[in-house]
Amino acid sequence: MDGSEGGEIDGGDKNNICPKNRGNNNFNNNLNNNFNNKINDNNYTKNNKNNKDNIIIHNNNNNNNNKKINILIKCLLLLLLFSIILNPLKDILIDNLTYMSYIFLKFLKYPATVSNNILSIRGFNIEIVGECVGVEFFAIYLSGIVVISKSLRKVLYGLLFILLIYLGNILRIVVISIMVANNYDFNTSHDIAGYLIMPITTVIAFLLYYKLIKY
């Protein structure tokens, strides 16, 4: 008798408890679903933000690449233009370049003589021709300063540093003359001095100008 009463009570309890469990389970499932939905929404938002950031970065990279290409094209066009404009200087500056090189050699106590565009030192004759003037380096330098300058006034300041390049060219001829006078091969002397002094002088002139316009 006690057992059957206990069974009835237990059965009644089970019938009362199960709906509550189902309600709790539904409530918990709803909470889980809401939580998962929020996580998914957050992930979706983060993914969208990351995608937008990636698009912005990609666009910025494209803009930077386009800007670099435009600068390069502008430099090349200016280089061509200045090379044409400055070409007459090859004939104009030959005698001056020869004489200034002679003055430097005499200052360094070397027994040099000069006749028009020919330097003579210790029995060696060095002819200064139009290509020796270094017009190409003037054109490279001018192209660079025009591209980075934001006003005509700053470009005019940059013209002062052309003198430095011109002095570098005089130094180049002096070094070649001294090397030849000391029995070095002319072609070797010409290549060493030519490939080192003028490019270095041009870079120095450009860096000095860049520093000037930044301050």
Side-chain angles (χ1 to χ4, degrees):
M1 185 174 177
D2 291 335
S4 73
E5 287 179 356
E8 290 177 0
I9 292 172
D10 290 338
D13 287 338
K14 286 180 182 177
N15 291 331
N16 291 332
I17 291 170
C18 286
K20 290 182 179 180
N21 287 338
R22 283 196 296 271
N24 288 335
N25 288 335
N26 291 332
F27 179 74
N28 290 333
N29 288 334
N30 289 333
L31 287 178
N32 290 331
N33 289 333
N34 290 333
F35 181 73
N36 289 331
N37 288 334
K38 287 182 179 180
I39 291 176
N40 290 331
D41 289 340
N42 290 334
N43 289 334
Y44 179 77
T45 302
K46 288 179 181 179
N47 289 333
N48 281 341
K49 185 177 179 181
N50 290 333
N51 289 333
K52 289 179 180 178
D53 290 341
N54 290 333
I55 291 172
I56 292 172
I57 292 171
H58 180 69
N59 290 334
N60 288 335
N61 289 335
N62 287 337
N63 291 334
N64 289 333
N65 290 333
N66 291 334
K67 187 175 180 180
K68 290 177 182 178
I69 292 172
N70 290 334
I71 290 174
L72 179 60
I73 293 174
K74 189 175 180 180
C75 282
L76 292 175
L77 292 175
L78 286 170
L79 178 59
L80 178 62
L81 176 65
F82 284 124
S83 296
I84 295 172
I85 293 174
L86 298 176
N87 192 62
L89 290 178
K90 289 182 177 181
D91 296 326
I92 296 172
L93 294 178
I94 287 176
D95 289 343
N96 180 267
L97 183 61
T98 306
Y99 186 75
M100 292 302 298
S101 301
Y102 161 75
I103 294 296
F104 270 80
L105 286 169
K106 294 297 288 185
F107 178 77
L108 296 173
K109 307 299 182 181
Y110 277 89
T113 59
V114 63
S115 176
N116 295 325
N117 64 321
I118 297 178
L119 274 174
S120 299
I121 181 170
R122 292 182 180 173
F124 293 95
N125 294 327
I126 301 173
E127 182 181 9
I128 309 300
V129 296
E131 286 71 20
C132 298
V133 174
V135 166
E136 295 79 9
F137 290 97
F138 295 161
I140 292 171
Y141 170 75
L142 289 174
S143 301
I145 69 170
V146 169
V147 167
I148 67 172
S149 299
K150 296 182 179 179
S151 67
L152 179 61
R153 179 172 57 86
K154 290 183 177 181
V155 173
L156 294 176
Y157 288 156
L159 295 179
L160 297 175
F161 292 102
I162 288 182
L163 294 175
L164 178 60
I165 300 175
Y166 188 67
L167 288 174
N169 200 17
I170 294 172
L171 176 63
R172 179 181 70 92
I173 295 174
V174 169
V175 169
I176 292 172
S177 301
I178 292 174
M179 292 179 72
V180 169
N182 286 281
N183 298 319
Y184 284 90
D185 178 68
F186 173 79
N187 290 328
T188 301
S189 304
H190 183 276
D191 291 343
I192 291 174
Y195 293 137
L196 287 179
I197 295 177
M198 285 301 289
I200 291 174
T201 305
T202 304
V203 170
I204 291 174
F206 184 81
L207 291 177
L208 288 174
Y209 172 72
Y210 182 77
K211 186 176 182 179
L212 174 67
I213 64 173
K214 285 298 180 182
Y215 289 99

